Amino acid sequence: MATIKPVKPEKRERRRLRTPNPEVRKRFLSAGLELINEVGFSAVRIEQIAERASLSVGTFYLYFEGKADLFIEIVIDYTDQLRKRLSDAAADGGSAAERLSRGMDAYFDFVEENERGFLHFRDAGNVETTVGRLSTWALDRHARDLQPLLEESIEEGIIRRDDPELLAQSIIGLMQHVAGFWLEHKETHSRDQVREFVAGFVANALRP
Amino acid sequence: MATIKPVKPEKRERRRLRTPNPEVRKRFLSAGLELINEVGFSAVRIEQIAERASLSVGTFYLYFEGKADLFIEIVIDYTDQLRKRLSDAAADGGSAAERLSRGMDAYFDFVEENERGFLHFRDAGNVETTVGRLSTWALDRHARDLQPLLEESIEEGIIRRDDPELLAQSIIGLMQHVAGFWLEHKETHSRDQVREFVAGFVANALRP
C-alpha cells in the first residue's frame, strides 16, 4: 500500500514513521471518504478530516503527503474492499449470468454509497502513480477478478467463446460508464432501470 | 465554439479580437493537435505550436488563453470532425449491425491517427467547461448521433427493444474504454482483433 504514491509527490515532505499505526491510517481513510461523499473532494479541508478522525493535522501529515495522496490511498483501500464485496456477491450459486448480475448489484450499491467519491475517482483517477495510472490499475484489478468466471463459463459452453480479457475489460468499462451516466441522470433513470438494462445487455452480449 | 471555455480561465487575459480569422484559428488547432500526437500534451510548448502554424506567440494569445484552452477547442473541433466521419461511415447501405460496424472502423481509424490526443482526452477530458464536463459533452454528442439508428432498428425489430439512450451510451462508453485498452496493449492485441471483438460483442448484445 504505502509504496503506491503519486509520481510527482506534493511539496510537503512527510516525516517517516518507524511504526505507523494501521488503525490511525484507517481512521484518516474513512474520515476522508466520508467527507468527500458529504461535501465533495475539492471542498474538503485537511483540518476537517483530522477533526472527523479525532486526530491532529500534524498526525495527518505523518501518514499522508496531502489530500491527493490520501485520495490515492482511499482508492487503493476501497478498491480492495469493493473487490471483496464483488467476489462475495458473485460467489457460487446460480448460473454465470446470475452471479454476474449479483456482482453488478453489489457494484451499484457501492457506487450509490460513495457517489461523490466515485465521480471524483472517475474524473481525477487518471493520476500517475508508481503502479501506473490509478484508474487503469483499479479497473484492471476488477477485470482480472472477473476473468476466471468468464473463462470457466466459456469452458462450460454457457457463454460465447471469445477473448476473456477483452470480455472482462468490456464489462468493467461498460459498468463504470453506465454508473457515471446514471448518477448524472437520476431524474430520468432509476437505479433499477439502469441495473436491469446493464444486466440484460451483458447477458445478451455473452450468449453463446 | 468560442463560448466554450474552462470554468476557471487561465491567468493570462486574452485581448478580444473584433474579427477573428477562422483560418488562423484552424491553423493553431491543427498545429496543436499534430504536436500533441507527436510529443504528447505536456511536452508541447506554445512557441512550438506558433512555429508549426507559421504564426507568432502573440497571435496565439489573441485566439487562446493557453494550452488547456487550445486543447478544449481542439476537442470541440475534432469531435465535430469525428461525428462527420462516423455518420458518413454509418450512412445507409447494409443492416444496422453493418452500419454500426463501419462506424466502429471509422472510430478506430480516428483513435489510431490521434493516439496521444485521444489518451490525453481520456485522461484530462474531465475538465469543467461552460458546457459541463468536456468528455461528457463529447461522448453525449456521439451517443445522441447514434441513438436514431438504434431507434429505427428497434422499430424494424432487428435489434432488441430496450432504452435507446442507454443502448447508445453503453456502446459509446464501451468503445472508448476498449480503444484505450487497445492503445495500451498493442503488443498483445492487434487492432483487427479488438475491432472484431467489439463488433461481435455489440452485435450480440443488440440481437432481438
Side-chain angles (χ1 to χ4, degrees):
Chain A
M1 304 280 136
T3 59
I4 305 182
K5 292 288 161 204
V7 163
K8 291 180 192 163
E10 290 167 19
K11 282 270 165 63
R12 188 147 183 171
E13 275 271 314
R14 177 153 68 99
R15 269 200 294 136
R16 283 176 181 280
L17 281 173
R18 288 254 172 100
T19 50
N21 181 342
E23 256 324 300
V24 168
R25 186 179 160 277
K26 250 190 186 11
R27 270 160 67 189
F28 280 124
L29 294 179
S30 71
L33 184 58
E34 268 176 43
L35 283 162
I36 289 166
N37 283 320
E38 283 168 29
V39 300
F41 179 81
S42 59
V44 178
R45 286 171 302 105
I46 304 294
E47 290 72 22
Q48 287 176 292
I49 296 169
E51 199 188 328
R52 176 72 57 99
S54 306
L55 292 159
S56 74
V57 169
T59 308
F60 178 89
Y61 284 110
L62 292 174
Y63 283 81
F64 306 97
E65 285 161 13
K67 212 166 69 169
D69 180 40
L70 173 75
F71 188 71
I72 290 171
E73 299 222 19
I74 286 173
V75 170
I76 291 160
D77 212 68
Y78 285 81
T79 296
D80 279 336
Q81 290 189 31
L82 174 56
R83 289 174 68 204
K84 171 105 180 57
R85 282 167 65 169
L86 292 177
S87 73
D88 286 351
D92 24 54
S95 67
E98 282 159 8
R99 290 167 63 190
L100 199 53
S101 163
R102 289 201 305 270
M104 285 178 191
D105 256 335
Y107 179 74
F108 277 99
D109 282 342
F110 185 86
V111 166
E112 201 161 29
E113 284 164 30
N114 297 287
E115 178 162 340
R116 287 177 129 161
F118 171 82
L119 290 173
H120 184 68
F121 167 70
R122 185 195 63 175
D123 291 346
N126 64 314
V127 58
E128 280 299 322
T129 72
T130 47
V131 290
R133 187 173 163 262
L134 185 63
S135 58
T136 302
W137 174 85
L139 295 189
D140 277 357
R141 286 176 83 94
H142 295 307
R144 250 180 270 146
D145 286 345
L146 177 57
Q147 201 173 319
L149 172 61
L150 299 173
E151 282 164 353
E152 278 167 41
S153 307
I154 290 170
E155 280 320 305
E156 292 168 17
I158 53 180
I159 72 171
R160 197 156 66 93
R161 183 167 295 279
D162 213 330
D163 181 329
E165 192 179 3
L166 285 175
L167 284 173
Q169 283 288 341
S170 298
I171 294 168
I172 299 298
L174 176 72
M175 290 203 34
Q176 202 207 17
H177 181 77
V178 172
F181 177 85
W182 164 54
L183 293 183
E184 287 167 340
H185 295 79
K186 280 186 161 176
E187 69 297 345
T188 54
H189 292 79
S190 73
R191 175 196 156 123
D192 280 355
Q193 202 178 343
V194 174
R195 199 221 139 300
E196 290 222 340
F197 169 85
V198 180
F201 188 88
V202 170
N204 230 34
L206 294 178
R207 273 189 303 176
Chain B
M1 306 275 136
T3 59
I4 305 182
K5 293 288 159 205
V7 164
K8 291 178 192 166
E10 290 167 19
K11 284 267 163 63
R12 189 147 183 172
E13 276 269 317
R14 178 153 68 97
R15 270 201 292 136
R16 285 179 179 278
L17 282 174
R18 289 251 174 103
T19 51
N21 181 342
E23 257 323 300
V24 167
R25 186 179 160 279
K26 252 193 184 12
R27 270 160 68 190
F28 280 124
L29 293 180
S30 69
L33 183 59
E34 268 176 43
L35 283 161
I36 289 165
N37 283 319
E38 282 168 29
V39 301
F41 179 80
S42 59
V44 177
R45 287 172 300 106
I46 304 293
E47 291 72 20
Q48 288 176 291
I49 296 169
E51 199 188 329
R52 176 70 59 100
S54 305
L55 292 160
S56 73
V57 170
T59 308
F60 177 90
Y61 284 110
L62 292 175
Y63 284 81
F64 306 97
E65 286 160 12
K67 212 166 69 166
D69 180 40
L70 173 75
F71 188 71
I72 291 171
E73 299 223 17
I74 287 174
V75 170
I76 291 160
D77 212 67
Y78 284 82
T79 296
D80 279 336
Q81 290 190 29
L82 173 56
R83 288 173 69 204
K84 171 104 181 57
R85 281 167 66 169
L86 293 177
S87 73
D88 287 350
D92 23 55
S95 67
E98 282 159 8
R99 290 168 63 189
L100 198 52
S101 163
R102 290 200 306 268
M104 284 178 190
D105 256 335
Y107 179 73
F108 277 99
D109 282 342
F110 184 85
V111 167
E112 201 162 28
E113 283 164 31
N114 297 287
E115 179 161 341
R116 288 176 127 162
F118 171 81
L119 289 173
H120 184 69
F121 167 70
R122 184 195 62 173
D123 291 347
N126 64 314
V127 58
E128 280 299 322
T129 72
T130 47
V131 289
R133 187 173 164 261
L134 185 62
S135 57
T136 302
W137 174 85
L139 295 189
D140 277 357
R141 286 176 83 94
H142 295 308
R144 250 179 270 147
D145 286 344
L146 176 57
Q147 200 172 320
L149 172 61
L150 299 172
E151 283 166 352
E152 276 168 44
S153 306
I154 290 170
E155 281 319 304
E156 290 168 18
I158 52 181
I159 72 172
R160 195 157 67 94
R161 183 168 295 278
D162 213 331
D163 181 328
E165 192 179 4
L166 285 173
L167 284 173
Q169 283 288 340
S170 298
I171 294 168
I172 299 297
L174 175 72
M175 291 208 30
Q176 202 207 18
H177 181 77
V178 172
F181 177 85
W182 165 54
L183 293 183
E184 286 166 341
H185 295 78
K186 280 187 160 174
E187 68 299 345
T188 54
H189 291 80
S190 73
R191 175 196 156 121
D192 280 355
Q193 203 178 341
V194 173
R195 198 222 141 298
E196 290 223 340
F197 169 85
V198 181
F201 188 89
V202 170
N204 232 33
L206 295 179
R207 273 189 303 176

